[in-house]
């Protein structure tokens, strides 16, 4: 079964850091680009960041550029999101998502259940 | 980057058809055939319903269809059923460094 399981969320103070992980199983991880998408409570989906299969192409939403870093470890079938200088507006459920067909432009066919990040003092 | 524009809400009766629009620019919706649509029920992760403008993933009902004209994409749901009541989001690949942009979402109510 194709599965994505996020972890690492929690309550953190403004200005602090957090690292999210996404464990992939059931597919050949290094054949696919991966993305992070977030959803603030009661709000819509917001794309956060994406990374190609070999980490050669990376992109970020303007709202997180310079603060968040996406990475992956294909040997461990894992995707990561390092979040620094966190703000209240980063409070959201963070999903990792697999693309349908290998590259970054493809739709997201598999989503994890999300990990909640709450930024508050 | 600006989100794609969707109506906040649409509604229809069981058996009817509805269409949700998604308007972008020539840098995203109009420039690529990489528009996708997602269904999200409360408390659940999004589910891919349409990819590459008009393709349905395996297992998605043929009551769902997608199309595009210029900078506007559309999702049509025919033969509305109670279980179709959900939030729907469009997204598109974009030529900017941000890669992907979502619409603001549309709440579908089945009357």
């Amino acid at each position: 079964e194709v599965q994505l399981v996020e972890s690492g969320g929690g309550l953190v103070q403004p200005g602090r850091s957090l690292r999210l992980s996404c464990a992939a199983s059931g597919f050949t991880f290094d054949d696919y680009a991966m993305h992070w998408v977030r959803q603030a409570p009661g709000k819509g989906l917001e794309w956060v960041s994406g990374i190609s299969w070999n980490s050669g192409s990376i992109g970020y939403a303007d709202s997180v550029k310079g603060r968040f870093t996406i990475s992956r470890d294909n040997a461990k079938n894992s995707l990561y999101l390092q979040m620094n200088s966190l703000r209240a507006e980063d409070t959201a459920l963070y999903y990792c998502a697999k693309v349908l067909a290998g590259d970054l432009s493809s739709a997201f066919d598999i989503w994890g259940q999300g990990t909640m990040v709450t930024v508050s003092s | 980057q600006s989100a794609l524009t969707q109506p906040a809400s649409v509604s229809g009766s069981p058996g009817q058809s509805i269409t949700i629009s998604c308007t972008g620019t020539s840098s995203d919706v109009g420039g690529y055939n990489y528009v996708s649509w997602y269904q999200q029920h409360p408390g659940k992760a999004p589910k891919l319903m349409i990819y590459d403008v008009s393709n349905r993933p395996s297992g998605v009902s043929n009551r769902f269809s997608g199309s595009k004209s210029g900078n506007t994409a559309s999702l049509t749901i025919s033969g509305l059923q109670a279980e179709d009541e959900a939030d729907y989001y469009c997204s598109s690949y974009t030529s900017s460094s941000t890669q992907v942009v979502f619409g603001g979402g549309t709440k579908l109510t089945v009357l």
Side-chain angles (χ1 to χ4, degrees), chain B residues 6-7 10 17-22 35-39 47-51 53-56 60-61 63-68 72-78 84 86-90 106 108:
Chain B
Q6 298 181 233
V10 298
S17 294
I18 63 95
T19 297
I20 300 172
S21 62
C22 170
V35 176
S36 49
W37 291 89
Y38 302 88
Q39 177 192 64
K47 175 186 177 183
L48 178 64
M49 305 302 285
I50 295 288
Y51 67 96
V53 175
S54 59
N55 294 294
R56 277 188 311 276
V60 172
S61 170
R63 298 185 299 105
F64 291 82
S65 63
S67 63
K68 189 184 84 167
T72 298
S74 299
L75 172 71
T76 298
I77 309 173
S78 59
D84 298 333
D87 294 324
Y88 290 84
Y89 297 90
C90 63
T106 298
L108 168 62

Side-chain angles (χ1 to χ4, degrees), chain A residues 79-119:
Chain A
L79 176 72
Y80 305 102
L81 187 67
Q82 177 67 41
M83 304 185 297
N84 298 332
S85 303
L86 282 162
R87 306 167 180 168
E89 54 264 37
D90 296 318
T91 294
L93 185 63
Y94 284 74
Y95 293 104
C96 69
K98 165 191 169 292
V99 298
L100 175 65
D103 59 38
L104 284 163
S105 62
S106 182
F108 309 149
D109 68 330
I110 302 294
W111 298 64
Q113 285 305 301
T115 186
M116 187 68 200
V117 173
T118 302
V119 184

Side-chain angles (χ1 to χ4, degrees), chain A residues 15-35:
Chain A
R16 303 297 292 265
S17 299
L18 209 57
R19 189 194 195 207
L20 305 184
S21 299
C22 172
S25 60
F27 65 99
T28 305
F29 183 69
D30 55 11
D31 277 351
Y32 295 91
M34 297 290 294
H35 294 263

Side-chain angles (χ1 to χ4, degrees), chain A residues 35-59:
Chain A
H35 294 263
W36 289 98
V37 177
R38 69 185 181 183
Q39 188 169 33
K43 302 297 184 182
L45 301 175
E46 179 188 14
W47 177 79
V48 174
S49 182
I51 185 169
S52 61
W53 68 275
N54 63 353
S55 304
S57 182
I58 286 174

